[in-house]
Amino acid sequence: MYFDIEAVAAAEDTGMSAPALRGRMLALLHPLFAAKPHTYALAIPAGRQAVCDKGGGVVRIFASSRDDLDALVASLSQLPWMRDYARLHYPAAVPENYKGAWVAFRRYRVPTLKSDRKTGAEAGQLRQRRMLGMQKEKMDYFVVSSKSTEQRFTLAVRREPGTPPQAECLPNSYGLCSAHNLFCVPDLP
């Protein structure tokens, strides 16, 4: 089961970028995902045209049951930003005979200059390589403000083709997979 969350403001000229809109949605989803570990998987709908048509402020949430999606929608509906600036689409089921592509969404870490342990000429080189990789692959990203550290950061997401899950999916608190918990979701339009 899945549903989309679309930022209503994305279709208007708000001055906010799609990564900033998605980042605001992710900031609101993150504590709800953390409260129910391994329940919700996050995806960014495929297709540059689809993203551009909706201003890019769209995320897709997968869960294994309708009850889990309903609980999430009930929590999201209480949040003023979601109520005022986002549209929650009606949940839909992934077709049982789905034969389409599968994709994994994994966080792509770009270290900060502060976290770089190298000094001298090597300082910042890993950050530069990672940023170039992010640009080359045209990765989607979120601009997120952390409530705990009060810092603003970019959370890059790497889209990787894959196969249907063979084991239990264990999304992290951002709804993404990791190197240790790799899983894929249907790559629906």
Side-chain angles (χ1 to χ4, degrees), residues 24 28-29 32 69-86 88:
R24 183 68 183 132
L28 296 171
L29 288 165
L32 300 172
L69 288 183
D70 288 344
L72 183 62
V73 168
S75 296
L76 291 172
S77 298
Q78 303 298 315
L79 303 173
W81 191 91
M82 284 287 185
R83 191 179 54 234
D84 297 341
Y85 297 106
L88 306 178

Side-chain angles (χ1 to χ4, degrees), residues 4-7 10-11 18 21-22 25 43-60 87 89 140 159 187-189:
D4 289 344
I5 305 173
E6 178 184 355
L21 288 168
R22 284 195 311 253
M25 287 190 271
I44 301 170
R48 287 271 170 220
Q49 191 57 47
V51 171
C52 290
D53 289 347
K54 295 181 178 180
V58 178
V59 295
R60 180 167 290 155
R87 179 179 305 128
H89 290 244
D140 288 303
R159 171 189 289 266
D187 194 13
L188 298 164

Side-chain angles (χ1 to χ4, degrees), residues 1-186:
M1 304 280 313
Y2 69 96
F3 75 101
D4 289 344
I5 305 173
E6 178 184 355
V8 174
E12 301 167 7
D13 184 16
T14 62
M16 291 182 71
S17 67
L21 288 168
R22 284 195 311 253
R24 183 68 183 132
M25 287 190 271
L26 186 62
L28 296 171
L29 288 165
H30 177 56
L32 300 172
F33 288 0
K36 289 188 82 174
H38 312 308
T39 303
Y40 303 106
L42 183 118
I44 301 170
R48 287 271 170 220
Q49 191 57 47
V51 171
C52 290
D53 289 347
K54 295 181 178 180
V58 178
V59 295
R60 180 167 290 155
I61 311 299
F62 285 91
S64 58
S65 77
R66 175 67 190 257
D67 289 342
D68 288 331
L69 288 183
D70 288 344
L72 183 62
V73 168
S75 296
L76 291 172
S77 298
Q78 303 298 315
L79 303 173
W81 191 91
M82 284 287 185
R83 191 179 54 234
D84 297 341
Y85 297 106
R87 179 179 305 128
L88 306 178
H89 290 244
Y90 196 80
V94 176
E96 285 186 30
N97 59 353
Y98 179 74
K99 301 281 187 210
W102 292 77
V103 64
F105 291 92
R106 188 187 328 196
R107 183 174 184 177
Y108 182 79
R109 293 193 184 273
V110 178
T112 63
L113 287 174
K114 213 174 192 180
S115 67
D116 192 347
R117 295 182 187 155
K118 306 258 182 186
T119 57
E122 293 183 11
Q125 288 185 359
L126 176 60
R127 176 178 168 77
Q128 285 181 338
R129 281 195 310 269
R130 290 288 183 137
M131 289 181 75
L132 286 174
M134 190 177 142
Q135 291 171 345
K136 184 178 177 185
E137 293 184 34
K138 297 180 181 175
M139 290 182 202
D140 288 303
Y141 62 96
F142 297 84
V143 177
V144 181
S145 296
S146 170
K147 282 187 178 178
S148 59
T149 63
E150 298 183 0
Q151 292 181 333
R152 193 175 164 138
F153 63 96
T154 299
L155 192 151
V157 177
R158 174 181 256 170
R159 171 189 289 266
E160 300 174 357
T163 59
Q166 303 300 314
E168 187 178 11
C169 298
L170 301 172
N172 65 19
S173 60
Y174 287 108
L176 303 171
C177 65
S178 64
H180 300 295
N181 292 313
L182 187 62
F183 63 88
C184 294
V185 293

